[in-house]
């Protein structure tokens, strides 16, 4: 269930300020109070929330008070009718969305995102009453099943967000909803994707991340060009899209954001993408794209994010970038790009997130570039050989004191993991996956005292988990799993020092012995997984309140 608390969007703060100002008398002019029918509808909506499970009780929502001054509510300054309802990130819980909401027929903006509606369906009827709605956000709210056709009838919509996928990337981890990448909770079968958008011709922003649109076949791109030509933001990650990108998509001349990652899109990256002069984000990672990447896309002046990683048949050449490029994120991991010369990135003074594949790197003496890459805060490396002389060519990474995030995947070494990782004392997130390192996790990891997120999975470390891990007292997420050489021996009692942990996953290693009693000191744990080990015992006298325990023996 959702419990996270998020900051109010700026426009809601402005709405409250406007409401306060409008309630002040100026001569004989006084702004009207909230419409009584709308106040009654809001109070009924409040009663539908189970506050035993919610983190916000909406204390300002009280009868006999002006609902235009209530938290998350905005009203028309003349009629007093409710035009805005923004309950985003309030940690509210309910078994379903109460139909009293649909009595607020003057709503223009509705945001219920980041709450929990208990796996219920989005109501099949009711939204058609909100005919003047321009902004609708139901994302990350635990809805399940078919997206109803009535949403496709809201012809005034400018922004629609019904995303149902969420990622942990070292960010906030307060609830079980934040622990996992969500599965596809919502589907578009009938109505189909075409049926949903065919009347939404005013749409400027469309977010459907995680919605299963497999029934759309290969027509999704043609549908976009035909019905929503004024689209500026397109985010359809993990939607099970297939087929090539149809030429009809070239009609989206105002497009600024394209996020199509984690699909099954095939074919080539279209040349016409270089004609999108307003394009700021191009996210095509984890697809089946092939052929040569159009070099003109690199020249787009407004492009800030370019991620084509994990397209193993996609090739291209990285240009020597000139000053003035807006690129902030560039990720070419697990592609066939060649001739990647690190000094080429020196001119990218806005670059903060870089992902490169070791097979494509042309290594240079580090003094050519090392002092000029300190603007990079996130570094993603794959297929790097850290062995002996070869590994020394990458020791410069340990000098990048600007790094806050380091991700290693498919790397290997004939000896242990490089000890220079312990020099990166500003790291907040360290993610190591599918790496083959001989020997133990190095003691130097204990130097990374600012770490909040540490994930080591599908690697080949051996020997026991070192007590130096107990130094990482800012950790909120710790995962060590699927270690196929085996971290032998007991779980170090020092792990109990990590009293900020929300998630602890030590799964499918070769830990043995008793479960340390010190785990009971972790009062903020919401998820614990110690399964697939050879452990005995249980958590003794726990003071922790867990949402979920996955462990054969550690029963409270």
């Amino acid at each position: 269930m959702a419990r996270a608390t998020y900051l109010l969007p700026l426009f809601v703060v402005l709405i409250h300020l406007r409401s306060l100002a409008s309630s002040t008398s100026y001569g004989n002019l006084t702004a009207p109070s909230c419409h009584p029918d709308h106040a009654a509808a809001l109070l009924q909506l409040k009663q539908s929330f189970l506050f035993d499970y919610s983190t916000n009780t909406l204390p300002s929502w009280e009868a006999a008070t002006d609902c235009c001054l209530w938290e998350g509510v905005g009203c028309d300054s003349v009629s007093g009718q409710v035009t805005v309802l923004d309950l985003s990130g309030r940690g509210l819980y309910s078994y379903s969305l109460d139909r009293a909401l649909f009595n607020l027929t003057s709503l223009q903006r509705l945001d219920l995102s980041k709450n929990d509606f208990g796996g219920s369906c989005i109501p099949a009827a009711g939204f058609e009453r909100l005919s003047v709605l321009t902004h609708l956000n139901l994302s990350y709210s635990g809805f399940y099943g078919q997206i109803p056709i009535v949403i496709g009838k809201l012809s005034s919509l400018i922004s629609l967000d019904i995303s149902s996928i969420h990622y942990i990337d070292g960010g906030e981890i307060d609830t079980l909803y934040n622990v996992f990448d969500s599965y596809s909770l919502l589907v578009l079968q009938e109505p189909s994707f075409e049926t949903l958008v065919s009347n939404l011709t005013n749409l400027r922003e469309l977010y459907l991340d995680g919605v299963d649109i497999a029934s759309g076949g290969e027509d999704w791109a043609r549908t976009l060009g035909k019905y929503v030509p004024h689209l500026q933001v397109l985010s359809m990650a993990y939607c099970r899209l297939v087929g090539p990108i149809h030429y009809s998509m070239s009609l989206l001349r105002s497009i600024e954001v394209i996020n199509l990652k984690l699909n099954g899109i095939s074919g080539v990256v279209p040349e016409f993408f270089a004609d999108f002069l307003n394009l700021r984000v191009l996210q095509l990672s984890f697809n089946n794209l092939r052929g040569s990447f159009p070099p003109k896309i690199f020249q787009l002046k407004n492009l800030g994010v370019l991620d084509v990683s994990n397209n193993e048949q996609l090739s291209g050449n990285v240009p020597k970038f000139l000053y003035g490029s807006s690129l902030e994120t560039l990720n070419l991991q697990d592609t066939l790009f060649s001739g990647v010369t690190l000094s080429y990135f020196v001119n990218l003074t806005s670059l903060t997130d870089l992902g490169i594949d070791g097979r494509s790197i042309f290594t240079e003496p580090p003094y050519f570039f090392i002092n000029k890459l300190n603007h990079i805060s996130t570094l993603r490396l794959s297929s790097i050989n850290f062995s002996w002389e070869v590994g020394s060519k990458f020791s410069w990474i340990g000098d990048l004191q600007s790094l806050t995030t380091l991700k290693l995947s498919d790397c290997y070494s004939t000896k242990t993991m490089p000890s220079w990782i312990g020099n990166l004392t500003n790291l907040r997130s360290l993610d190591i996956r599918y790496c083959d390192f001989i020997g133990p996790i190095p003691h130097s990891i204990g130097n990374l005292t600012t770490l909040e997120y540490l994930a080591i999975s599908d690697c080949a470390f051996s020997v026991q988990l070192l007590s130096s891990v107990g130094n990482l007292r800012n950790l909120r997420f710790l995962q060590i799993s699927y270690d196929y050489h085996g971290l032998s021996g007991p779980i170090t009692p020092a792990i109990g020092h990590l009293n900020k942990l929300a998630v602890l996953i030590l799964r499918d290693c070769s830990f043995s012995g008793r479960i340390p009693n010190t785990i009971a000191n972790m009062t903020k744990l919401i998820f614990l997984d110690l399964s697939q080990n050879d452990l005995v015992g249980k958590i003794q006298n726990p003071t922790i309140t867990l949402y979920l325990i996955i462990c054969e023996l550690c029963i409270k």
Side-chain angles (χ1 to χ4, degrees):
M1 70 185 65
R3 289 176 174 268
T5 302
Y6 295 79
L7 293 176
L8 283 173
L10 178 60
F11 75 85
V12 178
V13 176
L14 295 177
I15 286 166
H16 280 299
L17 292 175
R18 185 188 69 180
S19 298
L20 289 171
S22 63
S23 65
T24 304
S25 297
Y26 293 92
N28 295 324
L29 298 177
T30 302
S33 299
C34 173
H35 194 285
D37 290 345
H38 289 188
L42 289 171
L43 288 173
Q44 184 175 333
L45 179 64
K46 177 180 177 178
Q47 291 176 0
S48 71
F49 295 117
L50 305 176
F51 291 117
D52 287 344
Y53 301 100
S54 301
T55 59
N56 186 316
T57 60
L58 300 177
S60 62
W61 290 35
E62 293 292 338
T65 63
D66 186 354
C67 78
C68 294
L69 304 180
W70 292 355
E71 175 183 352
V73 178
C75 297
D76 182 82
S77 59
V78 176
S79 67
Q81 294 184 326
V82 174
T83 58
V84 175
L85 180 59
D86 185 346
L87 298 179
S88 173
R90 298 303 203 284
L92 299 168
Y93 181 80
S94 177
Y95 292 136
S96 62
L97 180 57
D98 196 283
R99 296 180 184 275
L101 174 73
F102 303 125
N103 293 330
L104 305 174
T105 54
S106 57
L107 272 182
Q108 298 173 19
R109 291 175 177 261
L110 173 60
D111 190 341
L112 301 175
S113 62
K114 304 185 184 79
N115 292 293
D116 192 337
F117 289 92
S120 61
C121 293
I122 299 174
F127 277 101
E128 70 278 3
R129 300 184 62 192
L130 309 182
S131 58
V132 295
L133 202 64
T134 59
H135 292 73
L136 175 60
N137 191 341
L138 303 177
S139 63
Y140 317 133
S141 291
F143 287 113
Y144 184 85
Q146 175 68 38
I147 294 175
I149 193 170
V150 290
I151 290 180
K153 296 180 179 180
L154 299 174
S155 58
S156 296
L157 276 183
I158 295 172
S159 177
L160 174 62
D161 190 345
I162 326 180
S163 302
S164 67
I165 188 171
H166 194 68
Y167 302 99
I168 294 180
D169 197 16
E172 290 297 313
I173 307 162
D174 294 322
T175 71
L176 278 182
Y177 197 79
N178 296 124
V179 171
F180 303 106
D181 291 349
S182 300
Y183 297 101
S184 291
L185 302 176
L186 293 168
V187 296
L188 262 175
Q189 294 178 350
E190 187 53 49
S192 65
F193 177 57
E194 182 174 6
T195 304
L196 177 72
V197 303
S198 59
N199 292 318
L200 305 182
T201 54
N202 292 308
L203 209 59
R204 300 297 188 271
E205 300 177 354
L206 177 61
Y207 305 87
L208 294 175
D209 300 331
V211 177
D212 186 347
I213 311 179
S215 60
E218 299 183 5
D219 291 334
W220 57 273
R222 184 184 292 110
T223 297
L224 290 168
K226 180 177 180 181
Y227 296 109
V228 286
H230 305 297
L231 203 63
Q232 296 172 350
V233 177
L234 170 65
S235 192
M236 293 174 62
Y238 194 39
C239 289
R240 297 181 66 189
L241 304 178
V242 297
I245 299 174
H246 193 270
Y247 185 77
S248 297
M249 195 171 168
S250 64
L251 298 175
L252 305 181
R253 308 298 294 185
S254 300
I255 198 74
E256 297 179 14
V257 175
I258 298 175
N259 178 11
L260 297 172
K261 67 183 179 182
L262 291 161
N263 284 294
I265 300 171
S266 57
V268 300
V269 177
E271 293 275 354
F272 62 74
F273 277 6
D275 298 328
F276 294 152
L277 301 183
N278 297 318
L279 193 63
R280 296 182 290 106
V281 175
L282 181 57
Q283 172 58 269
L284 300 173
S285 62
F286 291 95
N287 279 288
N288 298 316
L289 296 166
R290 55 178 174 77
S292 181
F293 184 80
K296 289 184 179 180
I297 293 178
F298 285 113
Q299 301 173 16
L300 289 172
K301 292 183 178 180
N302 295 314
L303 191 62
V305 175
L306 175 58
D307 188 348
V308 293
S309 61
N310 292 276
N311 286 282
E312 297 180 355
Q313 300 302 313
L314 183 65
S315 61
N317 291 293
V318 179
K320 185 172 183 178
F321 294 98
L322 302 176
Y323 283 110
S325 172
S326 300
L327 271 179
E328 299 174 5
T329 296
L330 176 63
N331 194 347
L332 307 175
Q333 288 180 286
D334 295 309
T335 64
L336 295 177
F337 275 81
S338 59
V340 177
T341 305
L342 292 173
S343 61
Y344 285 5
F345 302 129
V346 168
N347 292 338
L348 296 177
T349 55
S350 298
L351 190 68
T352 59
D353 187 335
L354 175 62
I356 47 180
D357 191 304
R359 295 168 295 185
S360 63
I361 296 175
F362 173 73
T363 56
E364 306 161 275
Y367 57 78
F368 284 158
F369 57 86
I370 187 60
N371 293 327
K372 298 182 180 180
L373 290 181
N374 275 326
H375 45 77
I376 294 176
S377 59
T378 297
L379 183 61
R380 310 165 192 267
L381 300 173
S382 60
S383 303
I384 301 286
N385 182 355
F386 288 111
S387 300
W388 306 107
E389 294 83 2
V390 177
S392 65
K393 294 181 179 180
F394 296 96
S395 61
W396 53 269
I397 299 171
D399 296 325
L400 293 178
Q401 291 302 303
S402 58
L403 281 187
T404 58
T405 298
L406 177 62
K407 299 191 174 189
L408 303 177
S409 62
D410 294 294
C411 295
Y412 54 97
S413 175
T414 56
K415 52 183 181 178
T416 189
M417 188 170 74
S419 60
W420 49 252
I421 283 183
N423 298 337
L424 302 172
T425 54
N426 292 314
L427 276 186
R428 296 178 59 190
S429 176
L430 176 59
D431 193 328
I432 305 172
R433 299 177 187 269
Y434 307 107
C435 291
D436 193 351
F437 295 126
I438 305 301
I441 297 173
H443 281 280
S444 59
I445 275 190
N447 299 338
L448 308 180
T449 55
T450 59
L451 270 186
E452 298 177 7
Y453 179 98
L454 174 59
I456 301 174
S457 65
D458 295 277
C459 293
F461 291 106
S462 59
V463 196
Q464 67 187 51
L465 183 62
L466 300 172
S467 60
S468 59
V469 172
N471 296 340
L472 310 179
R473 300 192 181 193
N474 286 306
L475 276 184
R476 302 186 62 223
F477 181 103
L478 173 59
Q479 174 183 357
I480 302 176
S481 59
Y482 305 105
D483 187 88
Y484 53 84
H485 279 182
L487 285 161
S488 61
I491 299 173
T492 174
I495 205 164
H497 297 155
L498 309 180
N499 54 20
K500 292 185 179 180
L501 270 186
V503 176
L504 175 59
I505 302 172
L506 301 176
R507 175 183 174 84
D508 200 10
C509 298
S510 295
F511 293 122
S512 60
R514 298 199 65 82
I515 297 168
N517 292 335
T518 54
I519 287 180
N521 298 332
M522 300 178 180
T523 57
K524 296 186 178 180
L525 268 186
I526 59 172
F527 181 85
L528 173 66
D529 184 351
L530 301 178
S531 61
Q532 304 300 314
N533 289 292
D534 191 18
L535 299 167
V536 296
K538 61 178 67 175
I539 301 173
Q540 300 294 332
N541 301 317
T543 59
I544 52 181
T545 302
L546 291 164
Y547 292 149
L548 184 60
I549 301 177
I550 302 177
C551 179
E552 295 93 339
L553 299 167
C554 52
I555 302 172
K556 292 172 63 175

